[in-house]
Amino acid sequence: MFQIMVVDDDRNTRRLLQAVLEADGYKVLTAENGEDALALMDSEYVDLVVLDIMMPKMDGYEFTRTLRETNNNLPVLMVSAKELPSDKKHGFLVGTDDYMTKPFSMKELMARVKANIRRRSMEYSPAQSTAGQIEADGLCLNPETYQVTKNGTPVELTQKEYDLLSYLIRERGKVFSREDLMQRVWNYDYYGDMRTVDVTVRRLREKIEPSPSDPKFVHTKWGVGYYFQAK
């Protein structure tokens, strides 16, 4: 049974989300701020975190930033009333995998939860088939299991790092602008600061490149954007 951590300083919201998730068969832990959530996670295994942003002691941004220092692939779904493009951008910059704005429908929430849980479960499932694998000079991506390996060694990626790599490797050789990638990978229209893409590319390179400063896979076309091409 999958276990979800709900982090929100509003008691009624925690109770509502807990009831909905438990009715769908999930185990649920709750905390009223990021600090308490991290302490609880020291002794509890969690498959997904659903959290608010504005909370006392430690907000959702700081929680996610702290979490990513030690846990690179635990899915994080931010649920917040903060709906400005800059709010969403900040969420992705600190490492969240998904972002929903309040108010939202429970149907949409459950769809997002199931999508993130599915990826989490597939990461730890042994690959039964290699027919759909995508390979490039030692780098291997299995779209059926969401697993990435480099020379046979597993690579832990966040949801967006995986999505970005998957998109670029499928469209290898094609150059995409930051705006293109925000729309196609993040499904998000934003025509301002594109640091979200740059930061994700940097983190991805640190995990898959032999030398991040001299990329072998994810390259920059100066003045245009990014593309995948194995040297």
Side-chain angles (χ1 to χ4, degrees):
M1 181 181 293
F2 296 110
Q3 184 157 258
I4 298 175
M5 169 74 76
V6 173
V7 192
D8 198 301
D9 62 331
D10 183 79
R11 184 180 182 184
N12 291 331
T13 300
R14 292 198 307 272
R15 286 183 169 181
L16 174 61
L17 293 179
Q18 181 175 6
V20 171
L21 291 166
E22 288 181 341
D24 210 52
Y26 297 106
K27 291 180 65 177
V28 179
L29 299 171
T30 64
E32 62 182 27
N33 60 69
E35 188 176 285
D36 292 348
L38 288 174
L40 186 56
M41 289 169 63
D42 284 339
S43 58
E44 294 281 353
Y45 183 83
V46 174
D47 295 287
L48 171 69
V49 178
V50 179
L51 81 159
D52 191 18
I53 293 178
M54 296 180 289
M55 298 179 290
K57 292 187 178 180
M58 180 184 285
D59 66 15
Y61 294 138
E62 185 61 28
F63 168 88
T64 305
R65 186 183 299 109
T66 303
L67 178 70
R68 289 295 178 236
E69 293 176 356
T70 57
N71 193 319
N72 285 322
N73 64 344
L74 176 63
V76 174
L77 168 58
M78 283 187 175
V79 179
S80 175
K82 296 171 73 66
E83 58 183 8
L84 293 177
S86 57
D87 299 323
K88 297 180 181 180
K89 181 193 70 175
H90 193 183
F92 288 126
L93 284 174
V94 298
T96 190
D97 298 289
D98 207 349
Y99 194 111
M100 293 180 62
T101 55
K102 299 177 181 178
F104 55 85
S105 70
M106 288 301 165
K107 183 177 180 181
E108 180 185 3
L109 173 69
M110 294 312 300
R112 303 281 190 99
V113 166
K114 289 177 180 177
N116 283 285
I117 285 288
R118 179 177 181 275
R119 174 180 179 265
R120 177 71 164 173
S121 64
M122 293 299 288
E123 282 181 341
Y124 295 99
S125 299
Q128 300 297 320
S129 172
T130 60
Q133 285 189 169
I134 304 171
E135 299 185 34
D137 200 10
L139 188 67
C140 181
L141 183 149
N142 191 322
E144 295 182 359
T145 63
Y146 292 87
Q147 292 174 324
V148 176
T149 59
K150 183 173 66 173
N151 298 322
T153 302
V155 179
E156 291 188 353
L157 301 180
T158 66
Q159 176 74 59
K160 287 307 172 189
E161 290 165 356
Y162 175 87
D163 290 344
L164 177 62
L165 175 60
S166 177
Y167 186 78
L168 289 176
I169 200 171
R170 290 174 186 276
E171 301 290 339
R172 66 182 68 187
K174 296 181 181 179
V175 181
F176 295 96
S177 69
R178 293 168 177 82
E179 291 82 1
D180 288 336
L181 293 173
M182 282 295 274
Q183 293 175 11
R184 300 172 191 232
V185 176
W186 278 262
N187 296 316
Y188 176 46
D189 293 327
Y190 181 64
Y191 300 101
D193 188 354
M194 292 289 111
R195 284 191 61 221
T196 298
V197 177
D198 296 333
V199 170
T200 306
V201 168
R202 175 174 55 80
R203 290 175 175 168
L204 179 61
R205 282 173 171 165
E206 289 172 352
K207 295 177 181 181
I208 68 171
E209 302 283 4
S211 175
S213 61
D214 182 22
K216 175 181 179 181
F217 299 111
V218 180
H219 303 275
T220 301
K221 185 73 171 180
W222 296 109
V224 183
Y226 298 104
Y227 67 100
F228 182 98
Q229 188 66 61
K231 285 187 178 178

